[in-house]
Amino acid sequence: MTQVRVAVLGASGWMGKVHTMAYQTFPHFLGAESGTAKVVALVEANPEAAKELAFRAPEAKILNDWKAAIADPDIDLIDICLPDSLHYEVAKAALLAGKHVYCEKPLADTAAEARELADIAKAKGVITRVGHAFPRNPVHDLAKEIIDAGEIGEIKMFKGCQHIDMYGDPLAPYMWRANGELAPTGIVGDTGSHIFSFMEFLVGRVSSLIADNFIVTDKRPVVDGLAYGEETKLTGQEEWADITNPDGTNLLCSFENGARGIVDFSRIATGRKFMQTYEIYGTKGSLVYTYDEVNRIRFYSNEDANGRRGYREIDVGPENETFRSFLPLPNFALGYNESKIIEVAEVVKSIVSNQPMWPTFETGHHICQMVDACMESSRKKSWVDLT
């Protein structure tokens, strides 16, 4: 197989649009030597939203039921861009049907569900991928190279955060992401999992943690038809819905390698449109990253001469093969959509070569363990071991 036939589920949503674009775009930048993809089906349950899909992939079937895509013998890869609560059910059905599966995060609502999915995938011998795209920015490959080469020594501490302000305003309207039935873990699975993916990729597995989850505003006005990121004026006649999952989390953790971690994330940080940072401190140096400088890493080394030590700013550029595929000069900035293009290219390469690439459903299971531990720890108000 050199061309992977794809069905995108939840095609009219933000992630569905990004994934569809990425399949069509990646060969222009990253080449077709490792395989290509064709979007042969777009699945959308909302008939009104589905009307807009035909122009995005003109030859694709427009389906209203994800089960039809899984049953289709002409589809190789099921790409899941559905609400969190559907991930486990759909992924399990696809795996049992022998399909390769690429699922947006969080992989499942619980670690037990994620474990089951990883086990089925192994038994079926199919390729899996979880949509943790942020670490696929080439700057994080450089960070990992520095760490793996021992240039910052033994890692002792990780600090990370991710904040947005979609719910900073107490009157910001309700949406499905705040519904504990559709998104049971709230900000923990939605945003915390992004930081957890950096932790897993760069530092290693977490062994225990203690977390405090919190809700800042317990009710919000309901505005029908409002999409993510859209603004509206309230009429005063709106119904109000309860917020039933966490708005934010503070946590401490221990890694299996002995390092310690301090992490926080939220959707209520007024003024933080998108804040994502990490700091990794070792015995010989450290690394600092902020998404505001998306392709730049700051590197401190004790190997520098006394009196010359300080953080050097390194802009990843065309010396990195993946970066060079997009841009000929450094500091032009590869953003989120490019990270998704890189991710999709890796999914296709994995299927064509039958070689899994990070992060698989095994990785997704560990990240779901961290999410589970946050929920349990906050309920119990105590440390929780990951098993």
Side-chain angles (χ1 to χ4, degrees):
M1 180 196 303
T2 58
Q3 183 181 73
V4 178
R5 300 166 298 179
V6 185
V8 179
L9 281 53
S12 71
W14 172 28
M15 280 298 98
K17 294 176 184 177
V18 172
H19 285 218
T20 301
M21 174 276 300
Y23 289 114
Q24 297 164 333
T25 305
F26 82 81
H28 295 281
F29 298 103
L30 298 163
E33 293 80 6
S34 297
T36 60
K38 182 177 182 179
V39 177
V40 297
L42 297 173
V43 182
E44 177 52 59
N46 182 336
E48 288 301 312
K51 292 178 182 178
E52 302 180 4
L53 293 179
F55 78 93
R56 293 183 191 156
E59 298 180 15
K61 305 172 188 176
I62 309 300
L63 306 175
N64 60 13
D65 186 352
W66 57 263
K67 294 178 182 177
I70 290 174
D72 190 334
D74 293 327
I75 292 172
D76 307 306
L77 171 65
I78 298 296
D79 182 331
I80 302 171
C81 300
L82 297 166
D84 300 0
S85 61
L86 292 173
H87 288 187
Y88 165 74
E89 178 186 3
V90 178
K92 181 177 179 179
L95 292 171
L96 290 173
K99 305 292 189 184
H100 306 291
V101 182
Y102 169 29
C103 182
E104 268 301 327
K105 56 80 202 165
L107 173 58
D109 291 337
T110 67
E113 291 178 348
R115 181 68 266 156
E116 183 183 2
L117 295 177
D119 289 343
I120 295 172
K122 183 177 181 180
K124 289 289 186 178
V126 295
I127 294 296
T128 61
R129 182 76 176 232
V130 186
H132 290 293
F134 285 113
R136 301 316 306 129
N137 182 323
V139 73
H140 307 300
D141 288 332
L142 174 59
K144 187 168 179 59
E145 288 174 15
I146 291 170
I147 291 168
D148 290 349
E151 294 182 61
I152 66 169
E154 184 178 349
I155 295 175
K156 293 299 183 182
M157 185 170 67
F158 173 94
K159 292 182 67 178
C161 77
Q162 184 165 317
H163 294 276
I164 56 175
D165 70 349
M166 61 174 282
Y167 274 171
D169 182 348
L171 297 179
Y174 180 85
M175 65 180 301
W176 71 264
R177 292 173 185 267
N179 183 330
E181 293 185 0
L182 296 179
T185 60
I187 201 66
V188 185
D190 188 20
T191 290
S193 61
H194 286 309
I195 296 300
F196 298 162
S197 71
F198 280 121
M199 296 161 72
E200 214 273 349
F201 182 62
L202 295 172
V203 182
R205 294 174 62 90
V206 167
S207 57
S208 62
L209 62 79
I210 185 168
D212 174 34
N213 301 331
F214 54 88
I215 295 173
V216 171
T217 303
D218 60 3
K219 292 180 182 292
R220 292 189 178 274
V222 177
V223 179
D224 291 336
L226 194 68
Y228 186 72
E230 291 183 349
E231 295 185 2
T232 187
K233 290 185 179 180
L234 302 181
T235 66
Q237 304 301 312
E238 290 82 10
E239 295 183 0
W240 290 69
D242 292 330
I243 303 303
T244 52
N245 59 29
D247 281 330
T249 301
N250 298 307
L251 72 90
L252 305 175
C253 70
S254 296
F255 291 84
E256 290 181 355
N257 60 14
R260 298 293 190 267
I262 306 169
V263 180
D264 53 89
F265 41 86
S266 80
R267 59 192 180 196
I268 49 81
T270 305
R272 293 296 188 183
K273 304 306 176 185
F274 186 84
M275 177 185 185
Q276 183 187 81
T277 70
Y278 63 72
E279 302 172 6
I280 303 174
Y281 297 98
T283 54
K284 294 168 58 179
S286 59
L287 295 168
V288 174
Y289 171 78
T290 175
Y291 193 84
D292 288 348
E293 299 173 305
V294 67
N295 299 136
R296 176 176 293 169
I297 196 82
R298 286 177 168 81
F299 172 41
Y300 179 95
S301 175
N302 284 342
E303 298 297 318
D304 292 341
N306 189 24
R308 296 293 184 270
R309 293 174 186 167
Y311 282 99
R312 70 188 74 162
E313 298 176 352
I314 304 173
D315 290 326
V316 175
E319 75 285 348
N320 177 283
E321 182 179 357
T322 302
F323 186 100
R324 185 171 66 249
S325 297
F326 291 90
L327 294 167
L329 297 172
N331 204 27
F332 267 32
L334 297 186
Y336 183 76
N337 286 347
E338 286 85 0
S339 294
K340 277 296 180 186
I341 291 169
I342 294 166
E343 181 177 72
V344 159
E346 291 180 348
V347 172
V348 172
K349 180 179 180 179
S350 290
I351 293 171
V352 171
S353 65
N354 196 33
Q355 296 294 320
M357 298 179 71
W358 186 95
T360 66
F361 279 14
E362 285 289 343
T363 313
H365 169 247
H366 176 61
I367 292 173
C368 282
Q369 284 183 302
M370 296 176 68
V371 173
D372 269 11
C374 285
M375 304 303 286
E376 180 183 353
S377 173
S378 189
R379 286 194 302 269
K380 292 182 175 180
K381 301 187 183 302
S382 65
W383 281 86
V384 170
D385 292 332
L386 277 68
T387 56

